[in-house]
Amino acid sequence: MSKKEDFLQQLKTLSNSLVWLSSIILFIGIFILVMALNPDIKLFKSSPEITEADVEKDTIVNINSNDIKDGIHTETGFVAGDGLDEVIGNCTNCHSAKLVTQNRMSRDGWLATIRWMQETQNLWDLGDQEDIILDYLATHYAPEDKGRRENLIVEEWYELK
Amino acid sequence: MRRREFIGKAALASFTLTAGTGIVYGELMPKGYVPLLMQDPDPFKMFSIDKDMTVLNDRPWNIESKAHLLNDAVTPNKFMFIRNNGLLPEAIDVDTWTLTIDGESAKQKKTYTLNELKTRFPQYTYHLTLECGGNGRKEFNPPAKGNQWGVGAVHCSKWTGIRLRDVLEDVGVKNDAVYIGYHAADIHLSRSPDKEPISRGCPMEKAYQDETLLAFQLNGEDIPLAHGYPLRLVAGGWPASVSGKWVQRISIRNIVHDGTKMMGTAYRVPCKPVAPGEKVADEDMCIIESMPVKSLITYPKTGALLTLGQELTINGHAWAGELEVAKMEYSIDFGSTWHACELKAPVNRLAWQQFSANISFPQEGYYEVWAKATDSNGKSQPMLLPGWNPKGYLNNACHRIAVKVS
């Protein structure tokens, strides 16, 4: 075999390998895309004892995190405002945004809650973002005086037959 | 890498892109965190609950019922409030599930399989009222921290299981026992395996009551996952957090149990009354035991429009923790005059009692129907909020509904 033929043979082997390699990469790429777009496809059969928690872990949705409607961040229900990104980034990892939005506290109250989470719930050091977060919470989730008993709020009046 | 984790990571990256900002201090986040935005299961389907239930919190799951949904004498699963402190257990295998009894005051450490518990001890069924200690928290002023429950964190369902007492006696209890504490399979929100979301309990006296069960069944079926499948401690009349879900271990303690949410301000109220908003030191907080007297008008739903001359029949439930409800009254003039309701005896101790009344309105106008229960010790529900406390527990103020007559 001449050197030229030898070289051509090697080139052919190389190009074959490249074709195979890129096909594999392409296949993996398509596979990942399909799986990402259809999270319901099951690859491996779970154990027969399926708990609802599995369902919970399985259901993961796409994120359109920038949507803001009527001053409310759609995805989380947070009021849009300075500090929103910091609050989402630090406060929705362990618990729901709903735990924040249903509460009303003074700046001191929010700070005490952060300290309690750091001491007992594995919350990390918030660094220089702490002030931004506290300003946000104290501005948008401050307590209102409700008195000793509020008026009833009726969402819907209906005829009772 | 498991698919779910992969998608989680991919989504994390895409979140970073779409939000236009990185996850702040992302590098400080412990491994395994998947921001909550990426979980959006349908709780109504997942827990088979009614669409009118209110989701207060989706991590952990806290879902509230409403007064008009609770009209059944035996609350069905679809209307039962869900209060979780941590994440649901992730892989439950009933074939390998065991309950271990241990602790300083246990004469021995003993482990039972579920089947042993079901076959070795006699089974009992009771209707038991379980109310979240924080039911009604929403009304406190200044507001109290936590899930803002309205009136719907209570249910009275039919629980079947064995008596905790029978199991404790089978193990042997030392004379110095003061408390039992449960340990369960739920997962801490931080996913740290070293932390328990909740580990509460009760004094031996409550543990020894006939109605304190290790339950396998709710309303004749396996307990739903959200309510403690496959084994739940059920202690009616006390804050529902005493009724530990997914129980794997019960410790017989020679001290008041010091597990998570037994200490500090959790499920505790000031030992002495305090002014609204007052700071209370931990050592001045006392553990909540029996829940106070309370009632709920479950029919009609608030907002009823009536015509003059139309009689209104109301009905609902009343309960009083360890005690019985002795008297039930209603008022349509904001408490100026009270009128007796018909009140049934409980099906068994610690079950809520049904009341009803027929009401005639004297003239057109806006009315509120207020309900007031009185317990067997003569204590009644307050019309205003009861004593303020830092965590907003024990709001047993009178329930009321709005009615218009035209």
Side-chain angles (χ1 to χ4, degrees), chain A residues 66 93 96 102 145-146 158, chain B residues 18 58-59 138 148 301:
Chain A
N66 278 338
N93 301 285
S96 170
Q102 62 176 314
D145 193 346
K146 290 185 289 200
Y158 64 97
Chain B
T18 53
D58 44 28
R59 193 181 193 199
K138 184 178 160 178
Q148 299 296 304
K301 183 184 168 184

Side-chain angles (χ1 to χ4, degrees), chain A residues 10-140:
Chain A
Q10 281 181 10
L11 198 68
K12 204 172 163 190
T13 313
L14 190 69
S15 84
N16 275 345
S17 312
L18 276 173
V19 168
W20 271 108
L21 196 65
S22 38
S23 310
I24 289 167
I25 290 170
L26 190 69
F27 177 77
I28 291 173
I30 289 169
F31 175 74
I32 288 170
L33 195 68
V34 168
M35 294 310 288
L37 292 175
N38 302 285
D40 289 337
I41 295 178
K42 288 230 186 272
L43 254 198
F44 310 103
K45 278 238 176 344
S46 321
S47 60
E49 184 93 23
I50 296 173
T51 66
E52 286 152 32
D54 283 325
V55 182
E56 180 184 356
K57 283 191 301 173
D58 251 330
T59 321
I60 290 168
V61 293
N62 294 326
I63 296 152
N64 308 302
S65 264
N66 278 338
D67 291 356
I68 286 170
K69 226 183 211 166
D70 303 327
I72 300 290
H73 181 239
T74 318
E75 199 78 44
T76 59
F78 278 128
V79 175
D82 289 346
L84 174 64
D85 287 347
E86 287 81 358
V87 168
I88 292 174
N90 288 289
C91 308
T92 62
N93 301 285
C94 287
H95 60 71
S96 170
K98 289 176 188 287
L99 194 55
V100 180
T101 56
Q102 62 176 314
N103 275 284
R104 298 289 180 274
M105 282 176 242
S106 62
R107 201 175 199 277
D108 281 351
W110 286 113
L111 178 63
T113 303
I114 287 171
R115 290 289 174 267
W116 172 79
M117 286 188 283
Q118 286 169 334
E119 281 159 22
T120 67
Q121 305 295 307
N122 285 1
L123 174 63
W124 44 85
D125 182 0
L126 298 173
D128 54 10
Q129 310 216 333
E130 185 171 282
D131 268 343
I132 300 170
I133 290 168
L134 282 172
D135 286 343
Y136 172 89
L137 293 173
T139 305
H140 301 293

